[in-house]
Amino acid sequence: MKNTVTAVQIARMAGVSPATVSRALNPEQAWRISREKRQEIRLLAESCGFKSRSARKAGSYLKTYRVAFLLGRMQHDLVSGGNVFVHKMCDILQSNGYILELIRVDFSPENLVANVRNMLKSGEADVYVIGGGLMRGQSLELLHKLSPRLILLLNSSMQLPFPDFHWLSYFGRDAQDSYRQALMTIPEKYWKKTVYFGNNNNSTRVKIADIKKNAAALGMDLGEFPVCLFGDGSLIYPDDAYRVAHLFLQDHFEELEKFHNFFCSGRSAMALYDELVRRGRTPGKDFSIYSMGTTSQLVPPLHKGVNWLYRNLDREAEMLCEQILQLTEDPTPQHRCCKWNFIPADYGELVTGD
């Protein structure tokens, strides 16, 4: 069936030239038009049942894009909020006609390049979102030969690991402001009564380094900043973290009871909180817990008796998906950063005394 409405008529309704209509409805050229005007033209065309010649040839101008999310250790990447993050990304991308594909990549140095080559043979995605394990130049250059639309996820702010790769986009997460806000709530008399309690893994070591760095920047003397860690470095799933931390506390509580401030992460913070309260300590008076966590509409709210340094997973997913959508239309590299937040504890009537 022929179009009953022509490109000229669509152009008149939108106040643009017929050439602009053609570009707006062509997936390969749409990025040349502003987002607002492109959306206006597409809505007009859709309401009138119009498709450009290039769109009819392709089948539809509303192309379904493939977004590939490259992950290494999925058992790590899809816990501690990773599963919620991917869930939100799927919701957002699918509502815009995109498909999110999870691709496991062996990040070991000896297999990484060969693994990337084999993965590329399975088909081309329109945008690649890449975890930190692929932060090797040769692998990134292989991907760049296939697609100019690459987003590298960083767990820090915008210290770019590949400054010479001008074609690479970044998405960072910055916790530094939240660390400083949390540290500034600690009275000076408790600076040296601060300890880190948590799982013995690389993520914990990064957090400890960040706390020390930000304390030094604020002129705070935490002393040796002792740590009390459990586990052997292997993965502890969130459902087991509370139990493991609780069992550890039964045998090591004496090491911790002399401290007033505790930096923790997630379930270990709740195990510590419950144990301190069970032993008669009053939150806000006898102890304060500072924990790293995540928020989302898909998970229960944060415990009000804990000071939280947290990532908003819904906001992160929205920002990353917005970056993905813009890259499909305009391959110009983009750098974005989502900041962590800090919310102090609400002890309410639990706080008594000085």
Side-chain angles (χ1 to χ4, degrees), residues 229-281:
L229 306 179
F230 57 86
D232 57 5
S234 58
L235 174 66
I236 300 178
Y237 288 98
D239 290 343
D240 296 326
Y242 182 98
R243 177 183 58 81
V244 173
H246 178 73
L247 290 174
F248 180 87
L249 286 168
Q250 306 310 302
D251 297 328
H252 299 83
F253 187 80
E254 294 74 15
E255 301 174 30
L256 292 168
E257 62 180 347
K258 61 184 176 182
F259 295 101
H260 185 277
N261 301 305
F262 303 87
F263 278 88
C264 308
S265 184
R267 305 294 176 87
S268 58
M270 299 318 306
L272 178 61
Y273 181 95
D274 290 346
E275 186 64 21
L276 287 166
V277 171
R278 188 183 73 82
R279 294 181 182 244
R281 274 59 168 187

Side-chain angles (χ1 to χ4, degrees), residues 2 6 72 119 354:
K2 294 184 178 180
T6 67
M119 181 270 295
D354 181 13

Side-chain angles (χ1 to χ4, degrees), residues 64-69 90 93-94 96-101 125 127:
T64 297
Y65 286 94
R66 295 173 58 210
V67 179
F69 198 162
C90 284
L93 292 174
Q94 287 172 198
N96 285 275
Y98 290 62
I99 296 174
L100 179 65
E101 299 178 336
V127 179

Side-chain angles (χ1 to χ4, degrees), residues 194-205:
T194 303
V195 64
Y196 192 99
F197 170 68
N199 189 13
N200 180 22
N201 58 25
N202 185 63
S203 176
T204 291
R205 287 185 282 275

Side-chain angles (χ1 to χ4, degrees), residues 51-296:
K51 293 183 181 180
S52 68
R53 183 180 302 172
S54 60
R56 293 195 301 274
K57 183 178 179 181
S60 172
Y61 62 80
L62 295 175
K63 175 183 175 182
T64 297
Y65 286 94
R66 295 173 58 210
V67 179
F69 198 162
L70 276 55
L71 300 171
R73 300 175 299 171
M74 282 191 174
Q75 70 274 27
H76 288 260
D77 297 328
L78 296 180
V79 298
S80 299
N83 55 340
V84 175
F85 183 65
V86 170
H87 183 145
K88 295 298 293 187
M89 286 186 66
C90 284
D91 287 348
I92 297 169
L93 292 174
Q94 287 172 198
S95 68
N96 285 275
Y98 290 62
I99 296 174
L100 179 65
E101 299 178 336
L102 300 185
I103 301 177
R104 198 190 77 79
V105 179
D106 184 349
F107 285 171
S108 59
E110 62 274 15
N111 297 323
L112 180 58
V113 173
N115 196 233
V116 170
R117 289 184 187 275
N118 291 334
M119 181 270 295
L120 296 182
K121 294 177 182 177
S122 65
E124 177 181 350
D126 297 281
V127 179
Y128 290 91
V129 181
I130 309 162
L134 266 174
M135 286 171 53
R136 294 181 178 86
Q138 187 175 3
S139 303
L140 293 172
E141 287 180 328
L142 279 173
L143 286 170
H144 181 240
K145 290 180 180 178
L146 189 65
S147 172
R149 300 170 174 89
L150 307 178
I151 302 175
L152 187 61
L153 295 183
L154 302 176
N155 286 323
S156 60
S157 53
M158 291 288 100
Q159 184 174 355
L160 307 184
F162 296 101
D164 294 333
F165 288 7
H166 302 296
W167 39 263
L168 187 60
S169 295
Y170 294 91
F171 184 87
R173 304 167 175 120
D174 188 357
Q176 303 313 307
D177 286 347
S178 63
Y179 277 119
R180 296 188 189 101
Q181 292 177 52
L183 288 164
M184 286 190 293
T185 66
I186 301 176
E188 185 174 356
K189 64 180 179 179
Y190 294 133
W191 284 359
K192 293 186 179 180
K193 291 188 176 181
T194 303
V195 64
Y196 192 99
F197 170 68
N199 189 13
N200 180 22
N201 58 25
N202 185 63
S203 176
T204 291
R205 287 185 282 275
V206 171
K207 293 168 184 173
I208 291 171
D210 281 339
I211 293 169
K212 290 181 176 179
K213 178 182 70 176
N214 284 285
L218 293 171
M220 298 176 62
D221 181 8
L222 300 182
E224 296 181 358
F225 188 51
V227 299
C228 186
L229 306 179
F230 57 86
D232 57 5
S234 58
L235 174 66
I236 300 178
Y237 288 98
D239 290 343
D240 296 326
Y242 182 98
R243 177 183 58 81
V244 173
H246 178 73
L247 290 174
F248 180 87
L249 286 168
Q250 306 310 302
D251 297 328
H252 299 83
F253 187 80
E254 294 74 15
E255 301 174 30
L256 292 168
E257 62 180 347
K258 61 184 176 182
F259 295 101
H260 185 277
N261 301 305
F262 303 87
F263 278 88
C264 308
S265 184
R267 305 294 176 87
S268 58
M270 299 318 306
L272 178 61
Y273 181 95
D274 290 346
E275 186 64 21
L276 287 166
V277 171
R278 188 183 73 82
R279 294 181 182 244
R281 274 59 168 187
T282 302
K285 176 186 176 183
D286 301 320
F287 71 90
S288 293
I289 294 179
Y290 296 80
S291 180
M292 294 72 176
T294 57
T295 62
S296 169

